[in-house]
Amino acid sequence: MALSTTSITGDAEQRIVLPIGPRLGGLARALVDGERRSWLDPLRWVSSPEETQRVELPSRDRAAVAAALLRRNLEWGSEDAARRADRLADPRCLVVATGQQPVLFGGPQLVLSKLLAATAWAEALERATGRPAEAVFWIASEDHDWDEAASVYLPLGSGDPNLSAGEDEAPLRILGRRTLDERPAAELQRLAEHASEHDRRNLAEVAEIYRPGSNWTDAFARLLVARLGRRCPLLLDPCEPEIKRLQSKTLVRLAERGDAIDVALRRRDEQIVDAGLSPQVAPQPGWSLLFAHQDDRRHRIGWNDGDSWHLRGAEETGSRSELKRSIADSPEQYSATALGRPALQDALLGTSLLLVGPGELAYLAQASVVYEQMGIDAPAVALRPQLLLVDERRRQQLDELTGLGIELETLLEGGDALSAAAAAAVAARGRQDCCGEYGAVEESLRARCEELEQAVRRVDEQLAPAAEKTREHILRGLDNLRRRVDDCLARSDRELRERIDALREHLVPGGVLQERKVGWLALDLIWSGGRPGAYAELISSRMTLDCDLQVLTLRRGGEA
């Protein structure tokens, strides 16, 4: 894989770019490489802003959606909500949609990368088309995956960076209906005890947002608004009653088209398996793409033979006609599954571009059939950029390792490949030349000492012992030098391996890619000097929208 570097803002900054395709697995790789891209139809793949001709430019009446988003975003403290909502209400506005579930303290860096990329895509579409464009971030508050949402890794100071909201005391309860207890704020206090004074002040502000009694989704949204400043797009909570009302017809349609969607999904799943790949979402024939909410817990709706349905994990059943009436009357009691959500979202927003991560791209190969069965206009789809962040010192180390034959791909891969490359680099770091010189010098010295000894004997045989001692002293000194050189090389080898291990741990902490592990809040405080909006502006100015793995070199404190 070729490694390319591209100069960006500032003399010292360089952006290392690695093609993303080879780093993806299975289905996502087949889609990015184009091998199975037809499975995305009717969605249209877009790999960069230069392909805006593949983005359709629909006009939609979003006045009601814009009003609902304005109200909520103002409640969350957005100072830019009125301007953005006014633009969204313009029927000519183009929408870039993306989203993520509300993870504790904002979640890992990938959440922020996706959000900022969506805003940048909207700006790119506006420049290309001359029409207003806005990003909308769908907070997946109807998810209930507590294990994924309730922990974050914040490496600040010397304390334990693993923060958690504790055990799940209400399994299946959706995140949007959860109330914060004292545990998140206590975790921040624990972290602050080992942090700098600067970080303690900022963590105290975050603790105020995550104070006990706050709604889980509201805390997530308020944190985004507080830290991102003007780079924060409009945030959408699907649990909002007005949003649920606007979704009701599409939710009813999911029930109406349940059998046809089930057949289409079975056919697509079979195609994926026949191609030697695995569906991203495990096939569940006979189950709808709808959840019913009872006591704020989600239960999957399944289809029985004939006109009836049942709930997973519950005894309730009924007719489909009754189900459709219930959805129309009480849409807040229903939501879509992962495969139904993209179509539901895009029907509401009239999305022009859907920005996704690798996992989401993979399940769009299945979810694409829902658009067809529901008659919903499908947007273009783009893969978000993936980011790794390093400071200038680590960037210099990357360059040094590249010079020693340890490429970035190998460093990220780890395992046997990295061990072999590290061993080769260690073996080559001056040892060969030094050992070669030592052998040649020793051979030469032995020969010259023998010549000297013979000459001395010709002068006076009694001087022979002195000549022998001189030869031994010279060779012993050379041997001592060799041992000192070996000790130096061994120490240097250890330092090199330690630098390799430390650099890999920075890029792939715990074996997980940095952007999937490290909380963006920690990176924000590290790189922005604590100034709200500075980190978001910094990342936005450095990254490109190409679907690559980008290593960005930043200066601490947000300096350009």
Side-chain angles (χ1 to χ4, degrees):
M1 185 192 311
L3 178 71
S4 63
T5 59
T6 305
S7 178
I8 60 174
T9 307
D11 294 333
E13 282 74 25
Q14 292 284 314
R15 183 173 57 87
I16 302 176
V17 177
L18 295 180
I20 190 58
R23 295 196 55 77
L24 301 178
L27 186 51
R29 180 169 182 173
L31 295 172
V32 170
D33 290 346
E35 180 184 353
R36 301 291 177 178
R37 201 168 290 169
S38 62
W39 289 342
L40 292 175
D41 294 340
L43 293 98
R44 298 166 305 284
W45 171 258
V46 176
S47 61
S48 72
E50 285 68 38
E51 298 180 8
T52 52
Q53 72 277 3
R54 295 181 59 80
V55 179
E56 293 190 357
L57 312 176
S59 293
R60 287 285 297 272
D61 180 4
R62 302 187 192 85
V65 175
L69 297 191
L70 173 60
R71 182 172 58 257
R72 289 296 278 144
N73 280 262
L74 287 175
E75 291 174 357
W76 292 325
S78 173
E79 297 179 355
D80 207 21
R83 181 185 69 85
R84 292 190 181 278
D86 185 62
R87 285 161 53 85
L88 184 67
D90 184 339
R92 298 176 62 253
C93 184
L94 307 177
V95 172
V96 177
T98 193
Q100 194 78 23
Q101 67 187 95
V103 188
L104 181 66
F105 304 136
Q109 171 63 30
L110 70 87
V111 176
L112 195 69
S113 298
K114 186 188 292 185
L115 187 149
L116 295 177
T119 300
W121 263 105
E123 294 168 346
L125 285 179
E126 185 161 341
R127 289 191 299 269
T129 65
R131 291 174 55 170
E134 283 294 330
V136 176
F137 188 87
W138 183 287
I139 303 174
S141 56
E142 294 173 315
D143 284 5
H144 66 264
D145 190 345
W146 180 257
D147 289 342
E148 184 174 333
S151 61
V152 70
Y153 182 81
L154 298 181
L156 291 170
S158 59
D160 182 359
N162 296 288
L163 278 64
S164 172
E167 297 296 323
D168 187 1
E169 298 178 353
L172 298 182
R173 177 172 293 173
I174 62 174
L175 296 171
R177 295 290 183 259
R178 290 179 182 262
T179 300
L180 295 170
D181 58 20
E182 71 285 349
R183 289 176 294 184
E187 284 285 82
L188 287 176
Q189 176 60 37
R190 176 182 62 78
L191 184 65
E193 291 174 357
H194 303 277
S196 66
E197 181 179 351
H198 155 267
D199 288 337
R200 284 197 296 271
R201 290 195 302 269
N202 285 284
L203 290 174
E205 294 176 2
V206 178
E208 177 61 23
I209 293 173
Y210 277 81
R211 63 184 179 274
S214 300
N215 174 270
W216 185 278
T217 300
D218 286 347
F220 177 82
R222 291 180 186 278
L223 180 63
L224 289 175
V225 169
R227 296 305 310 172
L228 268 63
R230 74 177 191 87
R231 299 304 301 180
C232 187
L234 288 168
L235 307 176
L236 185 153
D237 178 6
C239 287
E240 169 69 17
E242 178 63 12
I243 294 297
K244 297 302 293 187
R245 185 188 69 80
L246 294 170
Q247 292 177 342
S248 61
K249 291 183 178 179
T250 308
L251 288 168
V252 170
R253 185 70 171 157
L254 277 173
E256 289 176 340
R257 298 292 298 164
D259 288 334
I261 291 172
D262 190 39
V263 171
L265 279 173
R266 292 188 196 204
R267 187 180 303 118
R268 176 54 49 82
D269 291 340
E270 290 172 357
Q271 292 173 336
I272 294 172
V273 172
D274 289 344
L277 300 167
S278 298
Q280 182 72 7
V281 178
Q284 299 190 55
W287 291 94
S288 77
L289 300 187
L290 288 167
F291 288 110
H293 297 193
Q294 294 184 338
D295 299 324
D296 294 327
R297 289 169 170 81
R298 299 197 311 180
H299 299 275
R300 187 77 171 265
I301 297 176
W303 303 132
N304 298 329
D305 294 335
D307 186 47
S308 64
W309 57 272
H310 65 282
L311 289 184
R312 176 180 287 167
E315 297 181 357
E316 185 173 348
T317 63
S319 70
R320 297 199 191 188
S321 57
E322 292 173 337
L323 175 63
K324 288 185 286 186
R325 284 195 299 272
S326 177
I327 295 173
D329 293 341
S330 304
E332 70 279 1
Q333 297 298 322
Y334 298 89
S335 63
T337 69
L339 294 184
R341 184 188 302 155
L344 181 71
Q345 166 190 280
D346 297 333
L348 175 73
L349 296 175
T351 309
S352 289
L353 180 77
L354 179 60
L355 186 67
V356 298
E360 295 161 321
L361 177 65
Y363 74 62
L364 282 178
Q366 298 165 273
S368 59
V369 305
V370 181
Y371 291 86
E372 296 177 319
Q373 296 301 321
M374 297 275 288
I376 294 172
D377 293 333
V381 59
L383 187 65
R384 66 168 177 82
Q386 298 191 41
L387 305 181
L388 294 175
L389 307 180
V390 298
D391 56 20
E392 291 171 307
R393 177 177 63 85
R394 290 189 175 95
R395 173 53 197 272
Q396 183 178 4
Q397 291 175 350
L398 278 175
D399 292 341
E400 291 173 353
L401 292 183
T402 299
L404 293 171
I406 303 177
E407 300 291 345
L408 176 58
E409 306 97 307
T410 305
L411 190 63
L412 296 178
E413 180 181 351
D416 293 342
L418 179 58
S419 296
V426 164
R429 293 181 76 237
R431 185 184 301 276
Q432 183 174 359
D433 289 344
C434 186
C435 291
E437 288 294 330
Y438 175 83
V441 169
E442 182 182 28
E443 182 179 353
S444 175
L445 284 176
R446 286 185 180 278
R448 297 304 300 272
C449 284
E450 289 178 0
E451 293 175 1
L452 178 61
E453 186 176 346
Q454 292 174 4
V456 168
R457 287 178 181 274
R458 287 194 294 270
V459 173
D460 188 341
E461 187 66 29
Q462 292 182 356
L463 294 176
E468 292 177 1
K469 289 183 179 181
T470 300
R471 172 169 54 88
E472 293 172 357
H473 179 74
I474 291 174
L475 294 177
R476 186 164 49 250
L478 182 61
D479 191 57
N480 288 338
L481 178 60
R482 180 177 64 178
R483 285 196 296 269
R484 295 181 63 181
V485 168
D486 286 343
D487 290 343
C488 182
L489 286 171
R491 183 170 60 254
S492 179
D493 293 348
R494 288 194 300 272
E495 292 172 352
L496 174 61
R497 290 182 183 276
E498 289 170 359
R499 286 201 301 273
I500 291 173
D501 292 343
L503 187 55
R504 174 170 164 76
E505 180 62 20
H506 177 79
L507 298 174
V508 195
V512 180
L513 201 63
Q514 182 194 78
E515 67 162 13
R516 294 183 172 276
K517 174 81 171 181
V518 180
W520 65 260
L521 178 61
L523 298 171
D524 180 342
L525 299 183
I526 290 170
W527 297 109
S528 71
R531 300 189 303 277
Y535 178 64
E537 292 287 354
L538 183 64
I539 296 299
S540 297
S541 70
R542 299 295 192 267
M543 72 177 180
T544 71
L545 296 179
D546 300 314
C547 54
D548 298 316
L549 177 65
Q550 305 171 32
V551 182
L552 305 185
T553 307
L554 305 179
R555 294 176 181 172
R556 292 184 180 270
E559 298 177 359

